[in-house]
Amino acid sequence: MTDGEESGRPPVLVLAVNGKVLGVDAATGARLWEHDTGGRGQVEIAVHRERVFANGIEPAVLCIEYPSGRFLGKADIPRREPGGRMLLEGDRLYIQGGGKVTCMSALDGRGLWHQELERLPGPFWEIAMGFPENVRQVDRTER
């Protein structure tokens, strides 16, 4: 069950499109809230308990309260390129992009560690990340 179902309310569906993060009533489709990630383009989202994390064109991760949509803040992350993939495991959020991996607390957004990997040749580099039964498989070096 989701938080919404436990409280008797329908859950909030979280969407990301054109640089925005939206909360939509899952039963009616009504837009409940919206946040701008700082530019158009790809946005990666992860939902963990009462938090929504959004990683867009800016080198920062937005933190939004779920299901209310209240903006909680943003955490800067070190990287060379915009975007990047996220992986949630337990109470940790792993973010990769531009040959770097950053680990943050999914509870409070604190940076826990950062690892810069050797840069591979090519115009585009992403890292596949995973734990047993929880994998983000993106490992391309060119478009």
Side-chain angles (χ1 to χ4, degrees), residues 49-71:
R49 297 183 186 165
E50 297 175 352
R51 300 285 182 263
V52 174
F53 299 96
N55 184 15
I57 199 100
E58 287 188 7
V61 174
L62 292 143
C63 185
I64 301 162
E65 185 177 67
Y66 181 90
S68 73
R70 183 171 63 98
F71 179 73

Side-chain angles (χ1 to χ4, degrees), residues 15-106:
L15 307 171
V17 62
N18 291 331
K20 300 202 181 302
V21 180
L22 311 169
V24 174
D25 184 299
T28 67
R31 188 180 298 187
L32 303 172
W33 47 263
E34 177 178 319
H35 295 281
D36 193 330
T37 64
R40 295 182 62 87
Q42 176 179 312
V43 177
E44 174 92 3
I45 59 172
V47 182
H48 180 68
R49 297 183 186 165
E50 297 175 352
R51 300 285 182 263
V52 174
F53 299 96
N55 184 15
I57 199 100
E58 287 188 7
V61 174
L62 292 143
C63 185
I64 301 162
E65 185 177 67
Y66 181 90
S68 73
R70 183 171 63 98
F71 179 73
L72 298 174
K74 66 180 180 177
D76 293 331
I77 55 171
R79 64 177 181 217
R80 291 187 198 103
E81 300 167 9
R85 302 289 181 257
M86 296 188 291
L87 176 72
L88 277 167
E89 179 70 16
D91 290 335
R92 293 184 177 213
L93 176 66
Y94 300 89
I95 306 148
Q96 66 80 18
K100 298 180 179 188
V101 178
T102 300
C103 178
M104 298 171 60
S105 166

Side-chain angles (χ1 to χ4, degrees), residues 9 21-22 26 28 32 35 42 49 67 92 97 101 107-108 118 120 124 129 134 137 141:
R9 297 178 316 230
V21 180
L22 311 169
T28 67
L32 303 172
H35 295 281
Q42 176 179 312
R49 297 183 186 165
R92 293 184 177 213
V101 178
L107 301 176
D108 61 16
E118 183 179 39
L120 296 177
F124 192 77
M129 301 183 291
N134 185 8
Q137 182 65 39
T141 56

